[in-house]
Amino acid sequence: MSKSIAVIGSGFSSLAAACYLAKNGHKVDLFEKNDSLGGRARRLKVEGFTFDMGPSWYWMPDVFERFFADFDKKPSDYYTLDKLDPGYQVIFEGGETIEIGDSLDKIYKIFDQEEENGAKKLKKFIDNARKNYDIAIKDLVYNPGVSPLELVTLKTVTKLGEFFSTVDKDVEKVFKNEKLKQILKFPVLFLGAKPSETPSFYNFMNYADFGLGTWHPRGGFHEVIAAIVDLAKSLGVELHTNANIEKINVENHTAKSLKVNGEIKAFDVILSGADYHHTETLLDEKDRQYSESYWDKKVFAPSSLLFYLGFDKKLENVKHHNLFFDVDFEAHAQDIYTTPQWPEDPLFYANFTSIIDPGTAPEGHENGFFLIPIAPGIEDTEELRENYFDKIMTRFETLTNQSVRKNIIFKKSFCVNDFVEDYNSYKGNAYGMANTLLQTAFLRPKLKSKKVKNLFFTGQLTVPGPGVPPALISGKLVSELIEKN
């Protein structure tokens, strides 16, 4: 039977869910508080520069293909993908670089150059990661997190030990070269936790990195949002921007309506892809599932200090994606997760889409996206932002052997306060709730409210977790639960 369904938010999970629900014949209205769609994956266009405001790594292309295939479409119906070579480069102390190529053979050669029997060790490591990837994608992540039994299959039983060891232990056990170890530990940061707190099973991210490669949607990552928006429109989804949700109204333990910009709108089902914690504050306290102390005890993925920079020249010695690992990896991780504070010497990341995608900057110019991972909930002031801008730009100029500061003609920052203001993000986190052992699958906040009938959730604070591919999967999972409701 067709239902009227409200979807709150317009990030990947909300848009995906809206598409699935509309395809199933429901009347779907999607509400976005900001003036543009995409949530954290919004786009900033200014002075001829195009910036992706959030996600910039296109990994796990098979998940995107599977999403569009559910609607008899392909990604290529909407956007063009370029495989990056190198996928990214890592810059170490003294400006030494390691490039991660676009094939396993190229990466094996790099590992052999850096460590005795490096290729042989990596082949064994990646073979296990590939098996875990197959199990994760085929058996686990498309489960709704309702029961612990979802984790028990013939394949996962053989992997049980990998849920009780960690990525850090596994890497340290096999490899000796510090640079290679950092490269292998890096991908799990997308899951929002330290490698020492991430179950070994999640080394499937290494296969996503090395085995499946790093891609770029031509025009920028927001092209993927634009594609899903086009799909949603074609399915009849009504999209509303500048639509702030002020209250979720509950009668007889059932979600009945939304207060949108002061107006009451009734629906049969309400689904929120907005921040989970924030969504529950839209309910009366008696209707909330999780207390403030519950959220406060959870391990959250980092927030970020971001800079969007326009340069009036082409830059040297940089690739599309660049990881600056010239400082102590562990010390920075401590400052995010263990004793939350601004890091003394932060690792940082920079991307320049205009290197391979000239349309994202004026001719002869470069666009730059710089990111420093930081603890959520810490102090955010303009003075702190400027202090850290100076820190990373000094290192950037030294490590890439060029002067760039005087060539900056556009600059915008985004940090904890902005994540709270623009996305109602709990403590200004950027990536959601970390995938630690005690925050995996059925141990995450639920897709379906346990207290309020016809109220559902999706996104990075629920199942399956942080990242764009998991967000698409989350949208599918919640749509299936709504169908069964």
Side-chain angles (χ1 to χ4, degrees), residues 220-401:
F221 208 102
H222 185 79
E223 290 299 309
V224 188
I225 287 287
I228 304 175
V229 167
D230 284 350
L231 176 61
K233 287 178 179 175
S234 74
L235 293 164
V237 178
E238 293 285 335
L239 302 165
H240 311 272
T241 52
N242 297 306
N244 186 43
I245 308 301
E246 297 160 3
K247 188 84 166 62
I248 298 173
N249 296 308
V250 176
E251 299 171 24
N252 298 321
H253 309 293
T254 303
K256 289 289 188 180
S257 63
L258 294 177
K259 186 177 182 182
V260 188
N261 293 340
E263 184 181 348
I264 302 298
K265 295 180 181 286
F267 295 95
D268 296 323
V269 174
I270 293 169
L271 164 63
S272 179
D275 180 273
Y276 205 126
H277 169 270
H278 169 73
T279 302
E280 288 224 310
T281 68
L282 301 175
L283 296 161
D284 290 336
E285 195 165 344
K286 64 181 172 56
D287 296 319
R288 299 171 193 171
Q289 304 168 87
Y290 304 109
S291 66
E292 286 298 318
S293 64
Y294 168 89
W295 293 109
D296 194 50
K297 289 172 185 171
K298 291 299 171 185
V299 179
F300 273 80
S303 185
S304 299
L305 170 55
L306 305 166
F307 294 101
Y308 311 102
L309 304 177
F311 299 90
D312 65 3
K313 70 171 185 177
K314 302 300 287 183
L315 302 189
E316 300 170 357
N317 304 322
V318 290
K319 305 296 181 184
H320 183 109
H321 293 296
N322 307 267
L323 298 166
F324 290 83
F325 282 6
D326 56 309
V327 296
D328 191 328
F329 187 100
E330 291 299 325
H332 190 165
Q334 283 278 117
D335 291 339
I336 295 173
Y337 297 104
T338 310
T339 52
Q341 60 186 314
W342 280 91
E344 183 64 33
D345 294 307
L347 290 85
F348 67 98
Y349 155 70
N351 82 52
F352 308 91
T353 60
S354 47
I355 290 175
I356 68 149
D357 196 349
T360 57
E363 188 174 354
H365 292 53
E366 210 88 270
N367 68 346
F369 170 103
F370 287 72
L371 180 153
I372 303 173
I374 57 173
I378 60 175
E379 182 185 15
D380 172 19
T381 66
E382 284 302 317
E383 292 77 14
L384 279 165
R385 295 187 191 195
E386 281 306 302
N387 178 27
Y388 279 84
F389 179 74
D390 286 339
K391 278 178 184 271
I392 65 171
M393 291 313 294
T394 297
R395 281 166 49 202
F396 179 80
E397 289 184 322
T398 300
L399 292 164
T400 63
N401 195 28

